[in-house]
Amino acid sequence: RLCDLYAAAHAKIRVIHQKNGGLSAARNTGLRNAKGEYVFFADSDDCLHPRLLEIAEACAGHTKARLVQVDIRHVAEDFVFSPEAWPLDLNDLWEELARYDALDGEEKKRYRGEHLFCFDAAEGVYNLDKDNQRYSPDIRLSTTVAWTKLYRREIFSRVMFPESIRLHEDQMTAHRFIQAAGGMTFVRYPLYEYRTRKNSLITDGWSAKRLTILDCYADRLKTAKEITGFASESGLVRYIYYRYLVCIFQNFRMAGLHMEGKERETAREEMLARMRAVLREGIRLPLVKRLFFGIFLLFVFKNSNLLL
């Protein structure tokens, strides 16, 4: 009712009613009905700086990026937005964009400034899994989630959100969006207020639903191979490969701690089979890391009832 009232009062607002099919279904419906050049997602309990879209669009125009990501700021659950508490001096950014415009094409591709960073597809996917304080303390989170980014709508002709899963939707698609965009521009201004709530989908305890993260890593590894021309020796492929193995190991342990009976046994067997299959791909790892996973598989095989 409230949405319809807003739509009646503002011509730019359109309301679509549909049966609840989860987050991805809602996003995809929005995308299928979108008409603008750009798309931006926002979670319902967070706050956007009033100039977020203006800044992101300006950076997209200067850098020709099809995906522009802004930085985030964590706020408490009871946070109340106030423009006075969120001052923003953009003079440095406008000056930096002017300096960026004066560069040649090659310098622009890997630009690293104070407030502006340009990443190709491989570097963007790296940011999903690798902390880099040079860019932002939250670069992994802000790169993974859907709601920090201004997208050119054309990206979604190649990638949509997975409606078959109800957890890790963003992890399943973030690498594909970066690939479809051919890279990204990162704006280091905390323009998105991320409200941290107790018992949210991100902060609540581990459950079997979280095992869908393994499929996310399988697809991320596939994407890394596609971006690098299936070069198994590339740094990106080896790094995502290692992170995938670590993810399997961590979730094997969590399944042992939080699941019981036949469900636990089945889940752990499937993860062990997945780890063996991943290791058989033959992507090189440092000897110590490869030995760790080999010894882990041997140890579990000889102690099949062990609760890690």
Side-chain angles (χ1 to χ4, degrees):
R1 183 180 63 84
L2 290 173
C3 292
D4 289 336
L5 289 173
Y6 274 108
H10 302 277
K12 290 185 178 181
I13 295 178
R14 289 182 294 140
V15 178
I16 300 167
H17 297 279
Q18 71 174 31
K19 184 178 179 180
N20 184 9
L23 177 59
S24 290
R27 285 173 171 170
N28 289 340
T29 295
L31 290 170
R32 284 189 287 268
N33 287 273
K35 299 182 182 298
E37 182 179 358
Y38 296 100
V39 172
F40 189 90
F41 299 100
D43 275 10
S44 59
D45 57 349
D46 295 335
C47 292
L48 281 62
H49 191 282
R51 300 186 69 178
L52 186 157
L53 297 178
E54 171 199 355
I55 294 167
E57 185 180 10
C59 291
H62 282 269
T63 64
K64 310 303 180 188
R66 295 193 290 174
L67 194 160
V68 175
Q69 175 179 314
V70 302
D71 209 354
I72 65 175
R73 180 166 64 174
H74 295 262
V75 297
E77 186 174 2
D78 59 355
F79 168 79
V80 178
F81 173 74
S82 169
E84 294 77 18
W86 205 348
L88 189 65
D89 183 358
L90 295 175
N91 289 333
D92 289 345
L93 177 60
W94 303 141
E95 291 175 3
E96 190 167 345
L97 286 172
R99 292 195 299 271
Y100 173 88
D101 290 339
L103 299 174
D104 63 32
E106 287 303 313
E107 290 178 304
K108 288 180 176 180
K109 287 181 181 179
R110 294 183 178 272
Y111 180 78
R112 302 289 190 274
E114 182 63 28
H115 302 286
L116 193 72
F117 303 85
C118 297
F119 302 117
D120 62 21
E123 293 168 322
V125 173
Y126 251 123
N127 289 338
L128 291 166
D129 274 286
K130 197 167 188 177
D131 292 316
N132 194 322
Q133 300 296 311
R134 168 71 177 92
Y135 307 139
S136 166
D138 288 308
I139 190 68
R140 285 177 62 188
L141 174 61
S142 61
T143 305
T144 298
V145 296
W147 35 259
T148 55
K149 303 173 183 68
L150 184 74
Y151 307 80
R152 283 196 180 272
R153 184 162 58 91
E154 64 194 48
I155 291 175
F156 300 103
S157 64
R158 297 177 56 185
V159 186
M160 297 285 274
F161 289 95
E163 298 186 21
S164 60
I165 64 174
R166 294 293 184 94
L167 195 62
H168 298 305
E169 301 97 330
D170 291 358
Q171 286 94 331
M172 183 63 82
T173 50
H175 49 275
R176 288 295 181 183
F177 290 140
I178 294 170
Q179 179 189 32
M184 58 186 292
T185 292
F186 175 61
V187 186
R188 190 169 63 181
Y189 275 96
L191 302 173
Y192 192 100
E193 297 277 17
Y194 171 50
R195 194 186 306 271
T196 304
R197 297 184 296 109
K198 296 179 180 178
N199 301 321
S200 70
L201 286 174
I202 292 179
T203 60
D204 64 358
W206 190 93
S207 71
K209 293 180 180 179
R210 291 192 176 274
L211 291 176
T212 55
I213 190 65
L214 302 181
D215 294 327
C216 299
Y217 267 100
D219 195 65
R220 188 170 297 174
L221 179 59
K222 180 180 178 182
T223 301
K225 292 178 180 178
E226 293 171 359
I227 290 172
T228 60
F230 291 90
S232 61
E233 294 302 303
S234 78
L236 176 65
V237 170
R238 283 189 291 178
Y239 188 73
I240 300 300
Y241 177 75
Y242 171 65
R243 292 289 301 170
Y244 185 14
L245 289 168
V246 170
C247 185
I248 297 171
F249 171 77
Q250 291 174 333
N251 280 277
F252 181 91
R253 179 176 179 275
M254 296 303 289
L257 292 172
H258 295 277
M259 299 173 73
E260 296 179 351
K262 185 65 175 178
E263 183 184 29
R264 180 180 67 182
E265 181 182 345
T266 299
R268 282 157 57 108
E269 286 178 353
E270 290 175 355
M271 281 185 273
L272 290 174
R274 187 187 287 254
M275 181 177 284
R276 293 189 192 97
V278 174
L279 287 170
R280 281 197 295 269
E281 291 194 29
I283 298 173
R284 287 200 304 173
L285 286 176
L287 180 59
V288 172
K289 292 179 179 178
R290 193 161 188 89
L291 280 174
F292 172 83
F293 293 111
I295 293 171
F296 165 71
L297 287 174
L298 180 63
F299 187 64
V300 172
F301 177 75
K302 290 187 175 182
N303 301 271
S304 58
N305 294 320
L306 181 68
L307 178 65
L308 289 178

